[in-house]
Amino acid sequence: MGKYTDYVMKTAQDLLAVPSPSGFTHMAAEFVKKEFENLGYKPQITQKGAVLVKLGGKDDKNAVVLAAHMDTLGGMVCQIMDNGHLKLTNIGGMNPNNAEAENCKVYTKSGKVYDATFQLENASVHVNGEYSDTKRTYETMEAILDEPVKNKEDVKKLGIMTGDFVCFDPRTVVTESGYIKSRFLDDKFSTAILLGYAKYLKEKEIQTERTIYVLITSYEEVGHGGCAAIPDGVTEMISVDMGCVGKGLECDETMVQSALRTVWDHMITRWFPV
């Protein structure tokens, strides 16, 4: 188990470093596709940008899809201000309260990438007397480019325009005690788990009773695409995703941390006996 846990942790870190807000997942899709190929499978990228791969199994008429998603929350440039600052809109549920003072990157349609910081307008607490009382919204916050721009025309000369994707720093850390902390573990960690499961089946030369497909989708955070490209013969779809931690719920951070073991045990002993 340790070998595959190490693989999952390493793959998760590598995938977390690939920007992929919904609608901008092509780099993550190529990463996942290549990883499955390296394991000896024949994945395909679907018309909708998902990655679909058959892991094998005996019964094609009672097949199951294991689904996770590689798309994340993010932002998009919706306005270039006269002073050269950028107004953003959210992709998915990216909450501005959780992104204040965050490093981010603007990906232009020409392929150039620019660093920026997402922060409150008039961001200095020493200057802004309303700093603590100002509600953090996309109307009151802005992205400041790490470029010597003074106005809208300077920004446009860089090739930045409305509609460009803005990707936030995942800030991935693995602690000495083995905890992984990062933005966008939802759902890249589950994607890494499914890659680890595929590695396990291949190396152990296991053929499950039911045929298994893995579908890594690309639009989950905006609410569509999960049922696209389901192969013939599939009778069940199991989504591997995050569990919320909060008041009134049964989960806690330790239980989320043990998701790898839990999902793995269910896959091998209950869902797909060999």
Side-chain angles (χ1 to χ4, degrees):
M1 181 64 180
K3 170 184 177 181
Y4 300 104
T5 301
D6 291 344
Y7 170 80
V8 168
M9 291 291 282
K10 175 62 167 60
T11 303
Q13 292 174 72
D14 291 343
L15 182 54
L16 285 161
V18 181
S20 60
S22 300
F24 190 70
T25 57
H26 59 285
M27 290 184 285
E30 288 295 339
F31 175 95
V32 173
K33 179 175 180 286
K34 183 177 180 181
E35 200 63 36
F36 274 117
E37 289 173 341
N38 290 341
L39 296 176
Y41 294 97
K42 296 180 180 180
Q44 59 178 297
I45 296 179
T46 72
Q47 186 67 29
K48 208 170 182 68
V51 179
L52 177 66
V53 59
K54 184 178 182 179
L55 301 189
K58 300 176 184 178
D59 190 352
D60 285 345
K61 296 182 179 179
N62 187 28
V64 62
V65 167
L66 299 178
H69 65 92
M70 60 191 159
D71 63 307
T72 69
L73 309 178
M76 180 179 286
V77 177
C78 66
Q79 185 180 3
I80 302 173
M81 306 296 287
D82 290 338
N83 61 2
H85 299 176
L86 306 178
K87 286 293 184 180
L88 306 185
T89 188
N90 59 303
I91 294 175
M94 191 74 187
N95 192 307
N97 291 283
N98 298 330
E100 183 174 5
E102 189 66 271
N103 294 330
C104 55
K105 293 181 182 292
V106 180
Y107 285 77
T108 68
K109 292 173 178 60
S110 68
K112 292 184 178 179
V113 183
Y114 296 97
D115 291 293
T117 305
F118 187 58
Q119 63 185 42
L120 186 68
E121 294 176 333
N122 196 14
S124 174
V125 69
H126 303 289
V127 176
N128 185 353
E130 303 297 321
Y131 181 90
S132 297
D133 297 325
T134 302
K135 187 175 182 180
R136 271 54 173 175
T137 70
Y138 285 98
E139 294 297 321
T140 63
M141 299 180 72
E142 60 189 7
I144 310 297
L145 291 164
D146 296 337
E147 299 289 334
V149 294
K150 300 297 183 182
N151 51 54
K152 182 186 295 188
E153 291 306 313
D154 288 343
V155 175
K156 289 183 175 181
K157 288 177 182 178
L158 297 176
I160 295 173
M161 62 182 70
T162 56
D164 287 342
F165 285 91
V166 178
C167 305
F168 291 87
D169 189 344
R171 294 191 279 103
T172 304
V173 173
V174 178
T175 68
E176 290 187 9
S177 57
Y179 284 73
I180 183 169
K181 301 189 291 185
S182 180
R183 287 189 185 276
F184 314 132
L185 288 173
D186 173 15
D187 192 30
K188 289 183 174 180
F189 195 70
S190 296
T191 299
I193 288 174
L194 293 181
L195 279 161
Y197 183 56
K199 179 179 175 69
Y200 170 83
L201 293 179
K202 180 67 69 172
E203 292 185 350
K204 299 296 184 181
E205 298 182 346
I206 293 173
Q207 188 176 27
T208 55
E209 290 297 325
R210 300 175 67 184
T211 295
I212 300 174
Y213 296 92
V214 169
L215 178 64
I216 308 299
T217 66
S218 53
Y219 287 100
E220 193 272 352
E221 295 293 0
V222 293
H224 65 88
C227 293
I230 300 298
D232 291 338
V234 170
T235 60
E236 186 177 10
M237 182 173 180
I238 300 173
S239 178
V240 185
D241 208 329
M242 65 91 181
C244 290
V245 177
K247 186 176 180 179
L249 302 179
E250 297 294 331
C251 292
D252 61 33
E253 287 80 4
T254 302
M255 292 171 67
V256 172
Q257 192 70 205
S258 65
L260 171 58
R261 169 65 71 177
T262 302
V263 172
W264 200 280
D265 287 347
H266 275 282
M267 284 180 179
I268 294 174
T269 63
R270 186 164 67 86
W271 291 342
F272 317 114
V274 296

